Amino acid sequence: MLLTSLPAVKANELRLDNLFELADGSVAIVDYESVYDEEDKVKYLNYLTGIVNRYLKEKKNCPLLRVIVIYTGDIRREQVSAEYEIGAIRMTIETANKIRRAMEMTQVAQIKELL
């Protein structure tokens, strides 16, 4: 049997790099990383739960949430896993390439389709 007690006190406040409301009404966390680390995905889950809790506290409906990671270092796409699945939770991280393709398009409808 596993331990059932979890730590309840959090001493630090999470600071996001950027938080944007997108044209389709969804909210995107944009984080910048210089290296790829699988453990960062737990940080992103904490960001997501923090945002959900903020909406709950304000008694508002939480919009669709997106996580976008922009790698500032020399990271190749094949080095990065965009999926994080642990059974009850499955998170997909969107890449900067998706954003770049959207920025290159001229029609707003095409941008909304990508996002």
Side-chain angles (χ1 to χ4, degrees):
M1 180 171 279
L2 299 174
L3 295 176
T4 57
S5 60
L6 300 173
V9 177
K10 289 186 178 180
N12 63 338
E13 183 175 316
L14 296 173
R15 296 281 181 186
L16 306 170
D17 287 345
N18 289 291
L19 187 63
F20 296 104
E21 183 176 359
L22 303 178
D24 66 357
S26 64
V27 171
I29 297 168
V30 179
D31 205 49
Y32 300 91
E33 302 289 354
S34 58
V35 297
Y36 174 74
D37 187 344
E38 185 77 14
E39 292 179 12
D40 284 336
K41 293 176 182 175
V42 175
K43 174 178 72 172
Y44 307 143
L45 285 173
N46 285 325
Y47 289 166
L48 292 168
T49 58
I51 292 168
V52 171
N53 282 323
R54 183 189 322 163
Y55 278 97
L56 288 173
K57 189 175 184 178
E58 296 173 0
K59 300 195 182 322
K60 295 180 181 178
N61 290 329
C62 185
L64 180 69
L65 301 177
R66 301 177 183 281
V67 177
I68 301 167
V69 178
I70 299 172
Y71 290 97
T72 59
D74 190 23
I75 305 296
R76 294 187 314 274
R77 179 69 188 107
E78 58 271 7
Q79 295 174 290
V80 177
S81 170
E83 301 291 327
Y84 185 65
E85 186 169 356
I86 53 173
I89 297 172
R90 181 177 185 196
M91 179 177 62
T92 302
I93 298 169
E94 300 181 52
T95 64
N97 286 337
K98 193 172 190 179
I99 296 169
R100 187 178 310 118
R101 285 193 307 267
M103 290 172 62
E104 291 170 353
M105 294 182 181
T106 56
Q107 297 180 0
V108 173
Q110 290 174 317
I111 293 173
K112 286 183 179 179
E113 182 180 307
L114 281 175
L115 296 175

